[in-house]
Amino acid sequence: MAHRKRIGGGRRRAVTDDRRPRRRGQGELEALVLSALREADGPATAGWVQERLGGDLAYTTVITILTRLLEKGAVSRERAGRSFAWTPASDQAGLAARKMRKVLDAESDREAVLASFVTGLDPDDERLLRELLGHARAAEDG
C-alpha cells in the first residue's frame, strides 16, 4: 500500500510501505521476547534479550515488553546488580492456558462460554479433552 507524502512546494510523491520497517503487534513482540528467554541457559538480562533478537528493538522497548509480561505473570525477575535478570514463568502452553482462563474469568456466563467452546472443538480435540478430564478425575480420586 502506498501513501502520498508532501515534498517541496506542496507536491506529493508516493512512498511505499517497503521503505518503512514493518510494525509488529504487541503480542508478536511478547512472543519474540519470551522465545528468547526460553533459549537462555538461566535468567537473562534485557540487554541479552535485545542482543538475542538481533538488536533491532530498542533497549527501552525490550524493558517495556518484559515489564508487561511481568504484570501478566508470564515472566519473573530477580535483582542482578543494578538491573534485573528475567525468567519465563511457564512454557507456551502454560501461557495459552493462562490467557484462556483470563478470557473465561471475564465472562459472566461461564457455562455458556464453555459450552460454546466445547461444541466448537473438532472431534480429535474433543476426544483429547475428554481424556484429559478423565485423567484429572482419576488423579483427584487417588
Side-chain angles (χ1 to χ4, degrees):
M1 176 179 147
H3 67 279
R4 304 239 177 242
K5 182 177 179 182
R6 286 191 183 274
I7 58 170
R11 294 180 325 207
R12 292 179 180 253
R13 68 179 173 103
V15 176
T16 63
D17 288 337
D18 295 339
R19 293 183 23 185
R20 284 184 291 168
R22 184 178 73 82
R23 187 175 174 106
R24 290 176 282 218
Q26 177 179 328
E28 184 180 351
L29 290 174
E30 289 178 357
L32 286 171
V33 168
L34 279 170
S35 177
L37 281 177
R38 283 191 200 94
E39 293 173 7
D41 291 331
T45 64
W48 184 91
V49 171
Q50 180 192 27
E51 225 176 85
R52 188 71 178 183
L53 295 176
D56 64 334
L57 288 179
Y59 179 81
T60 54
T61 301
V62 174
I63 291 290
T64 299
I65 294 165
L66 287 166
T67 302
R68 287 181 182 157
L69 289 168
L70 180 67
E71 291 167 358
K72 293 178 179 182
V75 299
S76 60
R77 70 181 183 188
E78 60 188 48
R79 271 277 174 211
R82 292 177 25 199
S83 186
F84 289 102
W86 305 81
T87 307
S90 62
D91 60 8
Q92 199 66 26
L95 291 174
R98 187 185 324 251
K99 288 178 188 177
M100 292 166 67
R101 280 191 301 272
K102 187 175 180 181
V103 169
L104 183 61
D105 289 345
E107 296 297 325
S108 58
D109 191 349
R110 294 174 73 89
E111 183 176 344
V113 173
L114 286 170
S116 180
F117 176 75
V118 170
T119 58
L121 292 174
D122 67 39
D124 289 339
D125 287 339
E126 183 179 343
R127 180 190 46 75
L128 178 58
L129 182 58
R130 289 181 189 281
E131 287 177 16
L132 292 170
L133 289 170
H135 291 308
R137 275 194 214 108
E140 286 176 0
D141 294 340

